[in-house]
Amino acid sequence: MTGPDVTRWDRAWPVMPYLFVLLPTLFALVRDWRPEVLALALLAGAWHWFMVTSHPGWTRRPVGVVVYLAVMLALIGALIRIDTLFTVTALVMFVQSFTLISGWWAYAGVAATAGVIIGARPEAGRTPGEMLYSFLVALLVASAMGLVTQTMRDQNENRRVMIAQLRETGAKLAELAQENAQLQARLLTQAREAGVLGERQRMAREIHDTIAQGLTGILTQLEAAEDTIGDAPAARSRLDTVRTLARESLNEARRSVQALRPAPLDEAQLATALRDIAEKWSRNTGVPAAVSVTGDPRPLHTEVEITLLRVAQEALANVGEHAGATRAGITLSYMEDVVALDVRDDGSGFTPGAASSSTGGGFGLIAMRQRVTRLAGDFAIETTPGQGTGISATVPAIPAASVRESPAPSRDAL
């Protein structure tokens, strides 16, 4: 028996008979050289090797065990009759009986061994009662040894079963680990694909919220400049506005490519940036836009500020292009765990659910909603035809210090 589940006892008990035959043989031959002792001892060792060592499967069958024990006891009985020193050899047969035979049948092997010990060494003058007494004592001692041997065997068997269970469990765990590794690889692939899709959506929002709005403003100013061809100062003012919008759009394009903070947030907090955007929007559209701040203003994480700033920009762009409003208002509310942005106007409004790109319900509203929901926020639109529109965005107030942010490069570097 080989393998990692073989215990010390499994390796020890097949070797014990060799030692218990060898040692008495050496002492007996040194004391008195007798060829018959050597022959019987070699025959006993060869028989054990043939039945146990060479063919271990034979002794797992009842017939094989009976034949093995019968021959071994006959050889040992002959040795004891020649020299009582071989009584020691018979002791190992107690161990063999309890190791090879299960249950109460093991005591039959023990009784047979004790009978050989007592019967093979008759002494002159011993009565049958004394021989019976010696037999019972030998049987009692052998039974005690047998209990120890059986206990060791049961422990070894339990250990072997436990090792087999642990090995099976280990194989299952290894299989689960492999499945988990494959699942993790698939999740990483899906996450990578989702990241690519998210980045495409982000870039689409950035282009729409910055470059597209800037180009729209440039076209509006150029169309207005056409109406003032005869008025040089007015045309020059329009061209200056076009130049400013083009420069800002160029800067925003560079920053969108590099995924940095938008220009209004580089040197100002969110509230100040919203006031600057509202002021420029009012100057370009002629519609007054008031900005109010409630709560305790504080620095927020970059993504939070960018999201709210872009929502305000897109909402004002929709108001200027579609609403026909006479005034607009932006409210920024800092609360304990969220920050809210409300953009309202008194324009024409529209019918919710039936909005199209021409009425403010196209990509701009989709982009705003995607930005807000990406931060686990809430986005809502309140509008009625003829009664204006209100856009509300509420996102978690993630502090700026909660995530380490990379410093944005200076304007000169761009």
Side-chain angles (χ1 to χ4, degrees):
M1 184 181 299
T2 59
D5 57 345
V6 176
T7 62
R8 293 180 179 178
W9 176 250
D10 293 326
R11 291 189 292 267
W13 74 263
V15 181
M16 292 174 61
Y18 295 116
L19 300 177
F20 277 76
V21 171
L22 176 62
L23 293 178
T25 301
L26 291 177
F27 281 103
L29 294 177
V30 169
R31 187 176 55 184
D32 184 9
W33 175 261
R34 283 172 290 187
E36 63 273 18
V37 172
L38 179 60
L40 290 173
L42 291 176
L43 185 58
W47 177 250
H48 178 76
W49 173 86
F50 180 75
M51 292 296 294
V52 176
T53 305
S54 180
H55 303 89
W58 290 0
T59 53
R60 296 193 184 102
R61 303 172 183 176
V63 176
V65 173
V66 172
V67 173
Y68 165 74
L69 292 178
V71 175
M72 283 294 294
L73 289 177
L75 293 174
I76 292 173
L79 288 171
I80 294 175
R81 182 169 292 277
I82 296 173
D83 192 333
T84 57
L85 186 61
F86 285 96
T87 304
V88 177
T89 306
L91 297 179
V92 76
M93 299 310 296
F94 293 142
V95 177
Q96 299 297 96
S97 297
F98 282 103
T99 303
L100 297 175
I101 305 175
S102 301
W104 292 100
W105 287 104
Y107 291 93
V110 170
T113 303
V116 169
I117 294 175
I118 302 302
R121 47 180 299 180
E123 297 180 2
R126 294 186 65 185
T127 64
E130 292 175 343
M131 294 180 64
L132 178 61
Y133 174 76
S134 300
F135 171 78
L136 294 177
V137 171
L139 184 62
L140 180 61
V141 173
S143 299
M145 293 176 58
L147 289 176
V148 175
T149 304
Q150 272 193 330
T151 302
M152 295 173 61
R153 186 183 63 180
D154 293 341
Q155 290 177 350
N156 288 331
E157 185 63 25
N158 293 336
R159 189 179 296 110
R160 186 180 296 109
V161 173
M162 183 175 62
I163 292 174
Q165 292 176 348
L166 289 176
R167 185 178 295 110
E168 182 180 359
T169 303
K172 292 181 180 179
L173 291 176
E175 184 178 355
L176 289 176
Q178 184 177 3
E179 293 179 358
N180 289 336
Q182 295 175 353
L183 178 60
Q184 185 178 13
R186 290 197 296 267
L187 290 177
L188 289 176
T189 301
Q190 294 175 359
R192 192 180 301 111
E193 294 174 353
V196 172
L197 179 60
E199 184 63 16
R200 291 176 179 174
Q201 294 177 346
R202 185 191 69 79
M203 290 300 298
R205 289 192 298 266
E206 291 291 337
I207 293 173
H208 178 271
D209 294 343
T210 57
I211 301 175
Q213 291 181 13
L215 293 176
T216 301
I218 291 173
L219 291 175
T220 302
Q221 295 299 322
L222 289 176
E223 291 172 355
E226 291 179 353
D227 298 333
T228 59
I229 294 178
D231 187 353
R236 186 178 297 106
S237 176
R238 295 292 184 180
L239 292 176
D240 289 340
T241 302
V242 169
R243 187 181 297 108
T244 300
L245 290 174
R247 185 179 296 110
E248 291 179 352
S249 297
L250 178 60
N251 290 335
E252 287 291 349
R254 290 172 177 171
R255 295 176 187 278
S256 296
V257 171
Q258 300 180 30
L260 298 175
R261 295 163 63 94
L265 289 175
D266 280 346
E267 300 175 355
Q269 290 187 352
L270 179 59
T272 305
L274 288 175
R275 291 190 178 95
D276 292 341
I277 289 176
E279 182 181 349
K280 293 178 182 179
W281 181 82
S282 296
R283 187 167 58 248
N284 295 331
T285 61
V287 179
V291 178
S292 61
V293 180
T294 63
D296 183 18
R298 57 190 183 274
L300 299 175
H301 184 253
T302 303
E303 289 297 323
V304 174
E305 294 188 347
I306 290 177
T307 297
L308 296 177
L309 182 70
R310 295 307 190 202
V311 169
Q313 284 180 316
E314 177 62 30
L316 289 176
N318 286 341
V319 173
E321 186 175 355
H322 307 292
T326 59
R327 68 177 183 275
I330 299 176
T331 302
L332 180 65
S333 304
Y334 289 91
M335 289 170 272
E336 182 177 358
D337 54 352
V338 297
V339 57
L341 176 74
D342 294 285
V343 181
R344 299 187 177 274
D345 66 81
D346 61 352
S348 59
F350 59 93
T351 302
S356 63
S357 298
S358 61
T359 60
F363 188 82
L365 294 178
I366 296 176
M368 284 189 283
R369 186 180 301 276
Q370 287 178 345
R371 281 185 176 277
V372 173
T373 56
R374 188 167 62 92
L375 295 182
D378 296 324
F379 182 81
I381 301 175
E382 298 178 2
T383 182
T384 303
Q387 298 185 15
T389 302
I391 292 178
S392 176
T394 304
V395 296
I398 305 174
S402 64
V403 179
R404 183 176 298 177
E405 301 174 6
S406 302
S410 63
R411 293 179 180 273
D412 296 337
L414 298 174

